[in-house]
């Protein structure tokens, strides 16, 4: 799976990360990648970044689809759409390629997965009607990550698209979605699950007395009824786990595939940078390089004045308009220095990934013009 | 409004909002303000990985309660701890008489599996632990804090989190989890027990999301809403409208080459953002009839003790400006 990337010819990668090419710029990334996963902590602009990357690919003549998991419809907002659904919605615009958008609906994605793997309609119906299933497939936390990966898999396999850009779920930790396929597999592989799905209850006793103790204990805590629902669910699920397991393995492989590029999105605040560094560490453990770093909401600086000198000037002229003007300039110089300090270490850590800085914009982005303005910063030559 | 009365209106204050709006900072500022009013707040961190402790210059928190700031000079101590689902679950199992089995349940991965299968369980266990703390406070137990401040998960998840009790009440008919869910739901819907403080930035999308979240929380969870906190407002500076050359002339100073342009560009940027922020704050006030606490953007510091004091100043000023609520208004 290595050695097929055009970027390698540019000689930009070397050493242990040669298996996966790191693009020379964000523009190059958008031209060459097949899957882009935007990750980072909440509020750093992942959704908008994902939209801009897909839009730029369409401008480059590619067929791009962007998928968001955002429950607050921010992608629809950013694209100026009233609403987008769980299937790709084409967005018309003056670009040679194609742009589509998907907003992940966790429940209907899960339902369609069940329908796909069920042996027949009757089995699918039994599962869809199960109360336990309805609980886990709905809004409860955890399933969103599974389904985001499922949707990613579905879209990348679709010949209608050259590029899939994914905006990752707003999980407690930015990394949870990476674990989602493995969690599902672990869940299916668990011996208790295997005992529960054994053909008869009799087998349970014979096979594993310890498991029975566990079952009783768990049942005591969560209530027998929940447990009966769970058993009914697992029994209804029988025969489908192989399909699920295969899919989970395929998704994991996809995340590990050199065609998949991880774009780290951050803002220059201490906590967001800490989260981004944590994420970069995790990718590094898997020998996955960061393909690009996008830093949003960077405060503008005005001149290169030293904040302390400016602050001293402000104090000298305190009480006058000039004092106020200096105080303001000193504020921005101080913020600029602080942000540059936070970012320096991060950029170094993800090197040689290209770094794009998007300034704190004067107003909110909710249309294509706004996205175009951001694109101007993202794809500006370094 | 009297700060003490303000801070003890509910025993548990859940600080929630979209990612990146500064929930942790606001939680810390509220704690500092409460402590300066002579109260002893307990900060509860749910995500286990935030800059909370570093704001007080301390090591990261864990499940054991620690003191982030000592009492003295009329200030109450600030205490803090994390409340992670795994630790809370272990404690819950022990309390439910499964002490002997709890280790095996955890090490064998059964707990993990059950929690994966019924994700709301982790949430309800955490909230159950909060309820336990709240009950002890209501009973006036020794060592109880005056108020608990919870640094909640990000907005989308906060709703799921707070709705977990209702969800489990629908799913679970009997057993300890059901009684846990019943108790948690009772706590969340009793204004003296719990309220939610929503945090936003003075920007369009976060304001929209705050308004949506506010209505969802009232409709779907039935929890009372406290004041909303608008975080990150650029403080006004005198002279932003002045022409730099003229201002320099008036002050008897001379400017370096190019300096007038820098001063003017920086002033124009701030003027513009202040105007945008005011628009959003007004829009928020129109959409949501709740008192607002406004916190300044900290240009010169970030998450450090000095900055924290400035935010606490702003909280106390905001509380002072909040009108007293009578009993009728206090109910949602």
């Amino acid at each position: 799976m290595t050695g097929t990337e055009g970027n390698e010819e540019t000689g930009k990668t070397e050493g242990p990360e040669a298996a996966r090419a790191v693009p020379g710029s964000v523009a190059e990334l958008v031209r060459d990648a097949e899957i882009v996963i935007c990750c980072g902590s909440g509020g750093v602009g992942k959704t908008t970044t994902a939209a801009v990357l897909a839009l730029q690919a369409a401008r480059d003549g590619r067929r791009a689809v962007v998928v968001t998991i955002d429950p607050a419809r921010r992608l629809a907002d950013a694209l100026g759409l009233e609403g987008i659904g769980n299937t790709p919605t084409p967005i018309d615009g003056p670009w040679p390629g194609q742009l589509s958008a998907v907003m992940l609906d966790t429940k209907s994605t899960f339902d369609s997965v069940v329908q796909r793997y069920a042996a027949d309609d009757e089995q699918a119906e039994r599962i869809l009607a199960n109360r336990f299933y309805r609980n886990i497939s709905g809004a409860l936390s955890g399933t969103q990550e599974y389904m985001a990966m499922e949707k990613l898999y579905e879209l990348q396999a679709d010949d209608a698209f050259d590029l899939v850009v994914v905006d990752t779920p707003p999980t407690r930790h930015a990394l949870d979605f990476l674990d989602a396929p493995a969690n599902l597999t672990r869940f299916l592989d668990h011996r208790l699950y295997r005992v529960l799905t054994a053909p008869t209850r009799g087998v349970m006793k014979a096979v594993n007395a310890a498991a029975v103790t566990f079952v009783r204990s768990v049942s005591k805590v969560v209530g027998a009824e929940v447990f009966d629902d769970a058993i009914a669910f697992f029994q209804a699920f029988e025969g489908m786990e192989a399909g699920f397991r295969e899919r989970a393995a395929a998704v994991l492989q996809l995340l590990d595939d050199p065609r998949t590029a991880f774009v780290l999105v951050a803002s220059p605040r201490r906590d967001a940078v800490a989260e981004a560094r944590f994420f970069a560490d995790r990718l590094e453990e898997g020998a996955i390089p960061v393909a690009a770093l996008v830093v949003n909401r960077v405060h503008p600086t005005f001149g290169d004045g030293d904040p302390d000198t400016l602050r001293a000037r402000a104090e000298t002229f305190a009480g006058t308009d000039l004092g106020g003007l200096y105080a303001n300039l000193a504020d921005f110089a101080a913020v600029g220095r602080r942000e540059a300090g936070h970012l320096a270490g991060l950029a170094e850590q993800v090197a040689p990934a290209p770094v794009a800085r998007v300034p704190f914009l004067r107003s909110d982005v909710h249309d294509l013009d706004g996205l175009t303005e951001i694109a101007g910063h993202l794809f500006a030559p370094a | 409004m009297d700060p003490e009365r303000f801070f003890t209106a509910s025993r548990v204050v859940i600080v929630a909002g979209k990612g990146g709006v500064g929930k942790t900072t606001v939680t810390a500022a509220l704690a500092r303000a409460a402590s300066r009013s002579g109260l002893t707040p307990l900060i509860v961190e749910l995500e286990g990985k935030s800059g909370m402790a570093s704001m007080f210059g301390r090591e990261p928190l864990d499940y054991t309660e620690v003191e982030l700031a000592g009492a003295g000079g009329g200030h109450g101590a600030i205490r803090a701890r994390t409340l992670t689902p795994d630790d809370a679950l272990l404690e819950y199992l022990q309390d439910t008489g499964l002490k002997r089995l709890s280790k095996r349940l955890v090490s064998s991965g059964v707990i993990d599996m059950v929690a994966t299968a019924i994700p709301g369980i982790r949430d309800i266990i955490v909230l159950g632990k909060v309820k336990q703390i709240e009950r002890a406070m209501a009973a006036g137990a020794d060592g109880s804090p005056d108020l608990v401040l919870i640094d909640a998960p990000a907005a989308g998840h906060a709703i799921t989190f707070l709705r977990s009790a209702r969800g489990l009440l629908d799913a679970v008919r009997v057993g300890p989890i059901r009684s846990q869910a019943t108790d948690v739901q009772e706590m969340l819907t009793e204004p003296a027990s719990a309220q939610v403080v929503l945090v936003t930035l003075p920007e369009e999308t976060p304001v929209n999301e705050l308004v949506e979240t506010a209505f969802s929380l009232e409709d779907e969870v039935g929890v009372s809403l406290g004041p909303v906190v608008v975080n990150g407002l650029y403080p006004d500076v005198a002279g932003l409208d002045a022409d730099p050359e003229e201002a320099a002339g008036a002050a008897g100073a001379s400017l370096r080459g190019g300096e007038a342009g820098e001063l003017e560009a920086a002033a124009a940027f701030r003027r513009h953002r202040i105007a945008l922020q005011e628009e959003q704050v007004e829009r928020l006030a129109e959409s949501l009839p709740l008192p607002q606490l406004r916190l300044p953007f900290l240009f010169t510091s970030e998450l450090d003790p000095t900055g924290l004091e400035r935010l606490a100043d702003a909280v106390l000023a905001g509380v002072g400006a909040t009108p007293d609520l009578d009993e009728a208004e206090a109910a949602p």
Side-chain angles (χ1 to χ4, degrees):
Chain A
M1 281 211 262
T2 64
T4 53
E5 292 300 285
N7 298 340
E8 291 207 329
E9 292 156 21
T10 65
K12 288 210 167 69
T13 59
E14 52 193 35
E17 282 160 9
R20 207 188 279 232
V22 172
S25 66
V26 182
E28 196 177 311
L29 170 85
V30 166
R31 271 199 310 273
D32 298 338
E34 289 177 37
I35 296 167
V36 170
I37 299 180
C38 294
C39 38
S41 55
V44 294
K46 284 192 296 289
T47 305
T48 310
T49 302
V52 174
L53 295 177
L55 174 64
Q56 186 62 32
R59 289 201 166 120
D60 288 345
R62 304 187 74 195
R63 298 170 303 160
V65 57
V66 54
V67 51
T68 186
I69 300 88
D70 201 306
R73 302 189 172 264
R74 268 182 294 148
L75 180 67
D77 280 356
L79 292 169
L81 292 174
E82 281 306 306
I84 45 179
N86 201 35
T87 50
T89 306
I91 297 164
D92 293 328
W95 38 76
Q98 288 165 23
L99 177 62
S100 298
V102 175
M103 187 156 81
L104 183 73
D105 176 338
T106 303
K107 180 153 174 39
S108 52
T109 306
F110 208 152
D111 288 354
S112 66
V113 170
V114 165
Q115 277 153 349
R116 181 180 323 125
Y117 293 122
D120 49 43
D121 290 352
E122 199 266 328
Q123 185 184 22
E125 278 312 306
R126 226 171 346 132
I127 293 169
L128 298 182
N130 180 277
R131 195 164 49 183
F132 179 85
Y133 168 77
R134 291 208 308 269
N135 271 330
I136 64 170
S137 63
L140 291 175
S141 50
T143 51
Q144 236 187 358
E145 292 81 18
Y146 297 161
M147 292 309 130
M149 292 300 105
E150 179 63 35
K151 186 56 94 178
L152 165 65
Y153 191 87
E154 191 185 301
L155 290 171
Q156 64 84 34
D158 189 335
D159 286 340
F161 305 111
D162 306 319
L163 171 69
V164 186
V165 181
V166 185
D167 164 32
T168 55
T171 48
R172 290 179 191 213
H173 297 300
L175 290 162
D176 287 356
F177 78 93
L178 278 182
D179 296 328
N183 275 343
L184 182 59
T185 310
R186 198 161 58 232
F187 181 58
L188 296 174
D189 279 341
H190 198 277
R191 69 191 164 116
L192 182 69
Y193 165 79
R194 291 208 302 272
V195 171
L196 288 173
T197 52
T200 67
R201 297 275 204 119
V203 173
M204 195 149 100
K205 232 176 250 164
V207 166
N208 200 333
V212 176
T213 314
F214 284 140
V215 168
R216 272 206 211 106
S217 310
V218 174
S219 175
K220 205 167 139 193
V221 176
V222 300
E225 209 177 13
V226 170
F227 218 72
D228 288 347
D229 281 344
I231 290 171
F233 168 74
F234 286 130
Q235 283 169 347
F237 212 75
E238 205 183 332
M240 281 176 59
E241 67 270 26
F244 262 87
R245 194 176 293 119
E246 268 168 38
R247 179 57 75 100
V251 168
L252 267 181
Q253 206 173 10
L254 195 62
L255 294 178
D256 208 27
D257 191 298
R259 292 173 301 166
T260 304
F262 285 84
V263 169
L264 198 50
V265 186
S267 73
R269 291 173 14 162
R270 184 185 305 176
D271 50 350
V273 168
E275 179 96 354
R277 296 191 72 147
F278 176 67
F279 199 107
D281 283 342
R282 265 291 300 270
L283 290 177
E284 222 171 293
E285 281 167 24
I288 300 171
V290 171
L293 169 64
V294 173
V295 187
N296 283 314
R297 304 170 68 91
V298 177
H299 273 87
T301 48
F302 306 93
D304 52 6
D306 170 67
D308 297 334
T309 313
L310 291 167
R311 186 71 58 202
R313 303 264 301 162
E315 274 157 28
T316 306
F317 297 105
T320 69
D321 283 351
L322 185 64
L325 287 169
Y326 271 121
N328 181 49
L329 194 55
D331 278 348
F332 285 104
V335 159
R337 174 180 287 188
R338 179 175 84 208
E339 291 183 348
H342 291 331
L343 288 179
L346 179 58
E348 203 170 286
Q349 183 178 350
V350 302
V355 181
R357 288 179 176 78
V358 179
F360 204 116
L361 296 178
R362 282 184 167 214
S363 51
D364 212 19
V365 172
H366 40 53
D367 53 22
L368 287 173
D369 288 344
L371 293 178
T372 304
E373 187 184 348
I374 294 181
H377 297 287
L378 271 187
F379 305 108
Chain B
M1 187 172 184
D2 169 52
E4 187 177 336
R5 200 176 143 204
F6 175 85
F7 285 117
T8 51
S10 302
R11 285 181 284 275
V12 175
V13 175
I14 300 156
V15 182
K18 153 182 158 55
V21 297
K23 283 182 295 295
T24 300
T25 309
V26 169
T27 306
L30 290 171
R32 195 79 197 108
S35 127
R36 276 168 45 180
S37 312
L39 300 169
T40 304
L42 170 67
I43 296 172
V44 171
E45 212 183 61
L46 297 185
E47 308 210 343
K49 182 169 63 77
S50 80
M52 180 67 74
S54 75
M55 262 180 273
F56 292 88
R58 298 294 168 92
E59 292 300 300
L61 302 170
D62 63 22
Y63 202 69
T64 319
E65 197 174 301
V66 294
E67 210 172 80
L68 284 182
H75 294 190
I78 300 176
R79 293 164 9 195
R81 62 174 298 177
T82 63
L83 224 172
T84 53
D86 292 348
D87 286 326
L89 185 54
L90 209 56
E91 194 179 325
Y92 174 78
L93 289 173
Q94 291 178 355
D95 293 350
T96 334
L98 295 171
K99 191 180 170 113
R100 204 173 43 83
L101 269 177
S102 62
K103 268 218 175 92
R104 277 176 70 205
L105 283 170
V106 171
S107 66
S108 65
V110 170
I111 290 303
D112 207 30
M113 198 208 81
V114 171
T116 307
I118 317 170
I121 282 198
R122 285 182 192 273
D123 294 337
I124 210 68
I125 296 290
V126 165
L127 284 167
K129 180 66 196 172
V130 172
K131 177 218 67 188
Q132 200 183 72
I133 297 171
E134 190 266 336
R135 287 238 169 124
M137 290 165 72
D142 280 350
S144 286
D146 293 314
L147 76 153
V148 175
L149 288 157
I150 298 182
D151 188 5
H157 187 72
I159 298 174
T160 314
F161 175 69
L162 294 172
R163 209 172 36 196
S164 61
R166 188 164 273 185
L168 283 167
L169 283 175
D170 290 342
V172 186
R173 300 290 162 84
V174 288
I177 285 287
R178 183 177 173 92
S179 48
Q180 185 90 320
T182 308
D183 290 350
V184 166
Q185 186 60 19
E186 206 176 278
M187 171 182 78
L188 291 176
T189 49
E190 168 55 49
S193 298
Q195 63 172 329
V196 172
V197 165
L198 291 169
V199 184
T200 187
L201 292 174
E203 289 167 35
E204 190 171 334
T205 312
V207 164
N208 291 347
E209 287 191 26
L210 182 141
V211 174
E212 267 175 45
T213 305
F215 286 113
S216 302
L217 287 177
E218 279 194 331
D219 296 349
E220 296 172 32
V221 184
V223 68
S224 303
L225 297 175
V228 291
V229 178
V230 185
N231 188 30
L233 284 157
Y234 278 23
D236 204 357
V237 176
L240 285 184
D241 290 322
D243 174 77
E245 299 283 7
E246 283 173 23
S254 59
L255 299 177
R256 280 184 294 104
E259 205 173 19
E262 291 170 12
L263 291 168
E264 172 49 33
F269 185 83
R270 189 156 179 155
R271 283 198 307 267
H272 185 81
R273 280 225 73 94
I274 287 177
L276 281 175
Q277 292 186 336
E278 274 171 9
E279 235 171 71
Q280 296 304 329
V281 168
E282 277 166 30
R283 207 165 58 81
L284 176 60
E286 278 165 24
S287 329
L288 210 59
L290 291 171
Q292 294 183 355
L293 296 177
R294 298 172 188 181
L295 304 190
F297 179 79
L298 298 174
F299 279 97
T300 49
S301 65
E302 182 182 43
L303 305 182
D304 71 358
T306 322
L308 193 55
E309 293 304 329
R310 286 192 47 209
L311 296 180
D313 291 343
V315 168
L316 291 171
V319 168
T322 303
D324 271 333
L325 302 174
D326 63 39
E327 297 273 321
E329 281 175 307

